[in-house]
Amino acid sequence: MSIEEPKTIKFQLMLSEAEAKAIDDWGATNSVRSRAEAIRRLCTAALELDAHADAIDEVLGSLDSQSFTFVERVRELSKRTDHRRNEGIALTAIRASENLVNLVNDLTIDLDAVLGAAIAIRTANTLDQAVETLRKNRRRLQESSRALAEKRAKARAERERLRYIDFHNASKWIEDAVKLSESDINNADDVVVDAVKAWLAEAKAIKAKREHEDLAREEERRRQQDQAPRSK
């Protein structure tokens, strides 16, 4: 289609009041001078979207899959490294990868809504059926969005709750206790329980120490920020 092509074809279009209002509101928001021009632009945008809908859907599915694979690989690599020495790097990588997945998920929801509209309009027998499909799809996406937000909040809370806890070190405590114990493995219950208690006590102490260090660093950072304007 060419924007220079003369507009010579006329046809009658019946709209509901809600449809006409939606078009007029869109035109006002985008400074379109008339309803006819708004409809023309919306049709052009819809045709462009429809032409690329299948390709976008395929690429989006691949991106979604690859992002989850990336997160799992980052988590697996963080487990294989020396957790105490590379803790900061591992935590930064995990947070970055989770942020990536969050953005992909948000993009997926938005594009799913757009692509769902294109496919519904393309395949429905009537416009009313397409509108009903869009309503159902919108409700589904809203539910998915809420579930995703709850999952993210839970993951953040768990990460903060377990921050500084070295679970790799727990296995070492148990391994050393069992090796040093003279008890047979079938009778090593008390040995393992004592080892876990000892590891947990150490983990609590380390967590408290690092939280105190983080608080001190944050207070020092704020103090320096407060002093910076005064020095100018």
Side-chain angles (χ1 to χ4, degrees):
M1 293 184 297
S2 172
I3 60 174
E4 303 299 331
E5 187 177 359
K7 313 298 187 294
T8 58
I9 298 176
K10 295 182 180 180
F11 71 97
Q12 185 178 13
L13 176 65
M14 303 297 292
L15 297 172
S16 69
E17 290 186 6
E19 290 169 339
K21 184 178 185 305
I23 292 172
D24 292 342
D25 289 345
W26 183 89
T29 300
N30 294 279
S31 302
V32 179
R33 63 180 182 271
S34 68
R35 180 182 293 173
E37 177 66 15
I39 293 174
R40 190 179 298 116
R41 293 193 188 190
L42 288 169
C43 288
T44 302
L47 288 170
E48 185 70 16
L49 169 63
D50 187 75
H52 298 281
D54 293 336
I56 293 173
D57 188 48
E58 182 178 351
V59 172
L60 185 62
S62 177
L63 177 62
D64 197 33
S65 175
Q66 289 295 323
S67 64
F68 277 105
T69 300
F70 172 68
V71 170
E72 292 304 316
R73 288 180 177 176
V74 169
R75 288 175 176 168
E76 186 61 30
L77 287 173
S78 68
K79 294 177 183 178
R80 297 178 185 176
T81 61
D82 184 335
H83 188 62
R84 289 163 295 181
R85 184 172 57 190
N86 298 320
E87 180 180 13
I89 297 175
L91 182 61
T92 300
I94 289 174
R95 284 178 173 174
S97 63
E98 288 178 349
N99 287 338
L100 170 64
V101 170
N102 290 341
L103 291 173
V104 171
N105 286 339
D106 291 339
L107 176 63
T108 300
I109 290 175
D110 290 337
L111 284 179
D112 195 354
V114 175
L115 296 176
I119 294 172
I121 293 172
R122 181 199 298 173
T123 59
N125 293 326
T126 66
L127 183 58
D128 288 342
Q129 290 181 354
V131 170
E132 181 60 27
T133 299
L134 293 178
R135 288 174 180 169
K136 292 179 180 179
N137 192 44
R138 188 179 299 112
R139 287 195 295 268
R140 177 180 61 82
L141 291 177
Q142 289 173 345
E143 292 173 359
S144 298
S145 182
R146 284 194 295 268
L148 185 60
E150 292 174 0
K151 184 177 180 181
R152 291 175 182 173
K154 183 178 180 181
R156 286 194 297 268
E158 181 181 86
R159 183 170 58 238
E160 290 304 315
R161 180 171 61 86
L162 300 178
R163 193 177 180 185
Y164 307 126
I165 304 300
D166 186 357
F167 289 99
H168 298 78
N169 201 29
S171 61
K172 187 176 185 303
W173 274 90
I174 296 174
E175 180 182 352
D176 290 346
V178 172
K179 285 181 178 180
L180 294 175
S181 173
E182 296 181 357
S183 301
D184 184 85
I185 188 63
N186 294 323
N187 302 313
D189 301 50
D190 292 340
V191 173
V192 172
V193 170
D194 290 341
V196 171
K197 288 181 178 180
W199 164 78
L200 188 57
E202 180 189 64
K204 290 178 179 178
I206 293 175
K207 179 177 175 62
K209 178 183 178 183
R210 294 189 177 181
E211 287 176 342
H212 179 73
E213 292 172 348
D214 281 352
L215 181 60
R217 280 194 293 268
E218 179 63 18
E219 290 176 348
E220 176 62 20
R221 184 184 67 81
R222 292 178 180 177
R223 186 186 65 79
Q224 292 178 357
Q225 286 180 339
D226 292 340
Q227 290 181 346
R230 302 173 187 173
S231 60
K232 292 182 181 179

